[in-house]
Amino acid sequence: SGCGTFTFLSSAIAAISGLLMGYELGLISGALLQISSILALSCKEQEIIVSSLLFGALFASLTGGFLIDRFGRRLAIIIASSLLVLGSLILLPYESYEILIVGRIAIGISISLSSIATCVYIAEIAPQHRRGLLVSLNELMIVIGILCAYISNYAFASISHGWKYMFGLVIPLGALQAIAMYFLPPSPRFLVMKNNDEAARKVLERLRETSDATKELTVIKSSLKDEHQYSFLDLFRSRNNMRARMLVGLTLVFFVQTTGQPNILFYASTVLKSVGFQSNEAASLASTGVGVVKVVSTVPATVFVDQVGSKTFLCIGSSVMAVSLVTMGLVNRNIHVNFTNVCRSQSPEDFFLQRPGNFTITNGSFKDLFASMASTERSSFDAQKSPDVARTGQLNRTALAGGKSTTGSHMESGEVPIVLKWLSLASLLVYVAAFSIGLGPMSWLVLSEIFPGGIRGRAMALTSSMNWGINLLISLTFLTVTELIGLSWVCFIYTIMSLASLAFVTVFIPETKGCSLEQISMELAK
């Protein structure tokens, strides 16, 4: 029951979906800078372009589960990769606002469908003692994709029509993944669901590098014997404890969003400016630094999850997030940052979209648009909000953290003590790191484990749709709420949500390390 080379290779090829997803989430921040200038887009039009990906993702999460359960996980990934290539190809020949929206919706459908199918596919081909590592590969690839987007945005920022290169870079990789997935085996559990036991046995023998997989196949068959009879409505019934499992899954993704990771990075730009990143190069490096922290933090979570356990990482991540958010809130009360809604009409070149932050499933945010800087003591910037991540600046044409929004914001601040500057930056980076070892990768690992195989795709799709929906709601209200109650109180609210997340994980999330999917399902059915 070892994790052979072929199993790892199959998981890695499927996890390319994560790389593509992370890249697309971060890409628009740099691309929109040039697009808005070429097409003379208003604030609202920029918001719609960036939001269109989220609406596509929400649509796919509502409908993709049926495709995954009916036609298979592998086929869903192939369709998603092909759709990503098609959506990107649509964008390249034209410089049209309408075409951009159509292309971004197609890409949104693609990344949402692939994110669900990839987690399910990897969980079902992985041996039980390596499932955490292999499923978390997807989250690691997402944060690497976002880091690649940072670098791509910076590299093509000054090149004529650089946005076309940004969009075009994913086409070869998406096409290669679709082709490679065609030659990989279907999930053995899906084959058993379709009563193709002989093919499932051969796939298991190939994945486990053994000549006899009869024992594992027997366990899968006995577990799935009745599970494929589940209907979608069974997710909300008491049969086999399904309603409780569904509530656990939905609550978990609720905390992924409401602990603030997608939106708190709005403050990253303020923090990094206050620390003195004034030049293009310094600000871009600072932005990339946030991406590096995400990648570096996700690595140990991915490598050690099978030894430590996903529940332990969720507890550690939520605890550290709460501490760092309290620190951030207290520092903000001393810095006196004020935000006001000012999305004024400005020439497109006044907006410079910033770098994205990280999401899982994970994940959406807003973008703040730096408008101008009056002095070292007083600065104002426009913020833009939309479901991907992006930001802009007029003077330091670079990128910092992630977000999406077309609402403006205004910041005034006096001279900030050096200790507060570095404490604010440190607490932000610790917060980013804590999310990247806890709720970031672990929530999707847990979701891929707690549902029965026969309805796993639809259950994951439902939780994913809640993830995208809450993401959209929070992103669209973040600046308004911040204006009403202040950024420090926003941090304190996120602290409360992090502590609530810790309590919820402690009480309701089962520890699943070392257990097969069938064992987990049987335990939860009780």
Side-chain angles (χ1 to χ4, degrees), residues 464-516:
S464 178
S465 65
M466 181 163 178
N467 181 69
W468 290 106
I470 297 175
N471 177 3
L472 177 61
L473 178 65
I474 290 178
S475 296
L476 290 175
T477 57
F478 176 74
L479 289 179
T480 305
V481 172
T482 304
E483 179 189 347
L484 288 173
I485 66 175
L487 191 58
S488 59
W489 280 105
V490 170
C491 289
F492 293 145
I493 289 173
Y494 288 158
T495 302
I496 293 170
M497 298 310 296
S498 296
L499 292 173
S501 169
L502 175 62
F504 170 77
V505 169
T506 304
V507 176
F508 293 107
I509 299 295
E511 182 55 82
T512 57
K513 65 177 179 180
C515 299
S516 70

Side-chain angles (χ1 to χ4, degrees), residues 28 84 99 101 105 133 203 211 217 224 256 261 309 339 353 409 425 440 489 514:
I28 193 64
L84 182 88
I99 294 294
I101 293 174
I105 288 175
L133 167 69
V203 169
S211 58
L217 180 64
L224 290 178
V256 168
Q261 179 73 186
F339 294 80
L353 293 174
S409 87
L425 175 61
W489 280 105

Side-chain angles (χ1 to χ4, degrees), residues 70-347:
R70 180 175 291 268
F71 299 106
R73 294 76 162 114
R74 184 188 62 142
L75 182 60
I77 296 172
I78 293 172
I79 292 172
S81 299
S82 304
L83 193 57
L84 182 88
V85 171
L86 180 63
S88 301
L89 285 172
I90 290 172
L91 296 172
L92 296 187
Y94 307 103
E95 293 178 359
S96 160
Y97 172 66
E98 291 77 15
I99 294 294
L100 279 167
I101 293 174
V102 172
R104 292 292 287 174
I105 288 175
I107 291 170
I109 293 172
S110 163
I111 64 172
S112 177
L113 180 62
S114 67
S115 66
I116 304 165
T118 299
C119 284
V120 175
Y121 179 78
I122 296 176
E124 292 186 346
I125 67 170
Q128 62 193 55
H129 65 288
R130 285 288 179 265
R131 188 174 60 250
L133 167 69
L134 296 178
V135 174
S136 298
L137 267 182
N138 191 55
E139 173 68 20
L140 179 60
M141 295 294 264
I142 289 173
V143 295
I144 291 174
I146 289 174
L147 181 58
C148 291
Y150 288 152
I151 297 168
S152 170
N153 291 348
Y154 181 63
F156 294 111
S158 57
I159 296 176
S160 176
H161 291 90
W163 66 274
K164 294 192 175 186
Y165 295 103
M166 297 177 197
F167 282 121
L169 282 177
V170 297
I171 294 174
L173 192 56
L176 283 173
Q177 187 196 26
I179 294 168
M181 286 299 301
Y182 177 79
F183 294 101
L184 294 182
S187 156
R189 286 171 174 82
F190 176 75
L191 290 172
V192 171
M193 283 164 51
K194 297 302 179 184
N195 298 315
N196 198 343
D197 295 356
E198 183 58 27
R201 185 182 60 78
K202 290 179 180 177
V203 169
L204 278 172
E205 289 173 356
R206 193 175 173 197
L207 289 169
R208 303 292 178 260
E209 296 183 349
T210 179
S211 58
D212 185 14
T214 307
K215 184 179 179 181
E216 186 174 357
L217 180 64
T218 303
V219 173
I220 293 173
K221 283 173 64 177
S222 63
S223 174
L224 290 178
K225 185 169 59 176
D226 298 319
E227 286 184 356
H228 72 280
Q229 302 296 333
Y230 281 115
S231 70
F232 180 73
L233 291 178
D234 286 328
L235 287 172
F236 308 98
R237 294 174 179 145
S238 57
R239 175 187 175 190
N240 288 337
N241 226 12
M242 284 303 302
R243 184 164 51 210
R245 292 198 230 185
M246 196 71 241
L247 286 172
V248 166
L250 292 174
T251 308
L252 194 57
V253 296
F254 172 79
F255 283 124
V256 168
Q257 295 295 332
T258 55
T259 49
Q261 179 73 186
N263 284 327
I264 203 68
L265 286 175
F266 173 69
Y267 186 50
S269 54
T270 310
V271 172
L272 297 173
K273 289 298 263 182
S274 73
V275 176
F277 297 101
Q278 301 299 331
S279 70
N280 296 350
E281 294 77 11
S284 294
L285 286 174
S287 162
T288 306
V290 173
V292 169
V293 166
K294 289 178 177 297
V295 173
V296 170
S297 305
T298 307
V299 170
T302 302
V303 172
F304 295 113
V305 62
D306 289 307
Q307 290 77 40
V308 177
S310 55
K311 182 172 183 173
T312 303
F313 272 124
L314 282 167
C315 291
I316 293 170
S318 296
S319 305
V320 177
M321 282 168 66
V323 173
S324 58
L325 282 164
V326 164
T327 306
M328 222 183 303
L330 293 173
V331 170
N332 291 339
R333 288 186 69 79
N334 288 293
I335 292 179
H336 303 299
V337 181
N338 297 310
F339 294 80
T340 48
N341 240 350
V342 291
C343 186
R344 302 184 303 269
S345 294
Q346 287 188 268
S347 59

